[in-house]
Amino acid sequence: AQITHLCGTHLWGCFIAGMSFATRHEAHHVWVRQVKRVTCWFLRIFFAATLAWAIPVNQLFSLEAFWKGSIMGIGPCILMKVLCAPFMGRSRWVIGWAMVGRAEFAYFIAIMAKSLKMMDDSLFAILIWSLVYATIFAPLVFRKVLKHYMMRENAEKDGDGAENKSGEVRRAATLGHLPDLYAEEMETKARADFQRQLSNEAEVQQLRKEVERLNGLLENNAKNDVIV
């Protein structure tokens, strides 16, 4: 983080640190189950104490800032990113809407630029309006397209979309982020163990019936020998 801070921003160091855990699904599982709730509250406090206090209210609610920010929000902030992956097949909408959801970082950059006197209040207000569109629409639409994509992919993979429908709703609703692969692996293993247990119980029941049948034959044979 210190090296990248000297190069421009310390956030690159944070991203690189996160990338080091990209192949460790256990780390993502711990993040989802243990850390994310705390992080959400810290993010709320952070944006409330930085961005919210820096917004120029008078310029923000002006007509000029609204219509210019709306054009910027619908055009460059959403439309250009949504259409960034037209040749990626079925995942193009997932990739496109995932690109839209980066407004938090843009807010931080805007605050830094304003603190360094690189933009005035009117331009900052326009920028806030444009990022508001991305902040509102990105998580809602991305969650929907990701849910639809995961359900369709797993329906083709398993050959039965109805069987895994409830499971896929849970996956897509897991914060709207990447699926918790470690938890899914544990769940798959638990289901396999449960099916194996059911199969073993069925075999035990069949063996018990066979034993009862053989005992019955032995008793009949013993009775016949006594009569003879």
Side-chain angles (χ1 to χ4, degrees), residues 16 19 28 61 101 118 175 202 221:
I16 294 173
M19 288 174 59
H28 182 246
F61 291 102
M118 298 177 64
L175 319 170
N221 291 335

Side-chain angles (χ1 to χ4, degrees), residues 79-98:
L79 187 61
M80 294 297 101
K81 294 179 180 179
V82 170
L83 300 179
C84 71
F87 305 109
M88 296 302 297
R90 294 190 219 174
S91 61
R92 58 182 178 273
W93 301 119
V94 178
I95 297 173
W97 280 102

Side-chain angles (χ1 to χ4, degrees), residues 219-228:
E219 291 178 359
N220 292 331
N221 291 335
K223 290 179 181 180
N224 292 335
D225 291 340
V226 171
I227 294 172
V228 173

Side-chain angles (χ1 to χ4, degrees), residues 9-219:
T9 173
H10 64 280
L11 293 179
W12 285 113
C14 300
F15 284 127
I16 294 173
M19 288 174 59
S20 63
F21 294 96
T23 59
R24 304 298 301 176
H25 300 318
E26 298 87 351
H28 182 246
H29 175 71
V30 173
W31 170 267
V32 171
R33 303 297 179 182
Q34 303 295 334
V35 182
K36 188 177 184 300
R37 293 183 180 180
V38 179
T39 305
C40 287
W41 278 104
F42 275 112
L43 285 175
R44 293 168 185 172
I45 296 173
F46 171 77
F47 282 105
T50 54
L51 176 64
W53 292 349
I55 294 177
V57 179
N58 293 331
Q59 287 82 359
L60 181 68
F61 291 102
S62 64
L63 181 61
E64 180 182 4
F66 176 73
W67 74 264
K68 289 183 179 180
S70 298
I71 294 176
M72 289 290 295
I74 297 173
C77 286
I78 295 181
L79 187 61
M80 294 297 101
K81 294 179 180 179
V82 170
L83 300 179
C84 71
F87 305 109
M88 296 302 297
R90 294 190 219 174
S91 61
R92 58 182 178 273
W93 301 119
V94 178
I95 297 173
W97 280 102
M99 294 295 294
V100 177
R102 297 295 180 267
E104 295 85 356
F105 184 76
Y107 281 126
F108 184 78
I109 298 300
I111 294 172
M112 292 181 59
K114 187 174 183 296
S115 64
L116 295 175
K117 307 298 182 181
M118 298 177 64
M119 66 175 66
D120 56 10
D121 289 344
S122 60
L123 180 58
F124 185 69
I126 295 173
L127 183 61
I128 293 299
W129 273 117
S130 63
L131 296 178
V132 163
Y133 282 91
T135 305
I136 293 176
F137 289 105
L140 298 177
V141 181
F142 176 69
R143 183 176 301 175
K144 183 176 181 180
V145 296
L146 178 61
K147 172 183 174 181
H148 180 71
Y149 174 78
M150 295 300 295
M151 290 180 65
R152 184 169 56 180
E153 287 293 314
N154 284 276
E156 293 182 358
K157 178 180 178 181
D158 300 330
D160 187 3
E163 181 180 354
N164 293 323
K165 183 176 181 180
S166 59
E168 296 313 317
V169 170
R170 179 192 62 77
R171 287 182 60 182
T174 306
L175 319 170
H177 297 276
L178 292 175
D180 190 348
L181 300 179
Y182 183 75
E184 290 177 11
E185 183 179 353
M186 294 175 59
E187 182 179 354
T188 302
K189 183 178 179 181
R191 288 181 179 178
D193 292 340
F194 180 71
Q195 294 294 334
R196 193 178 302 111
Q197 182 180 359
L198 291 179
S199 178
N200 292 335
E201 290 179 356
E203 291 180 1
V204 169
Q205 291 294 335
Q206 291 179 357
L207 292 175
R208 286 178 178 175
K209 291 179 180 180
E210 184 66 19
V211 169
E212 292 177 356
R213 187 181 68 82
L214 294 175
N215 287 334
L217 292 175
L218 290 175
E219 291 178 359

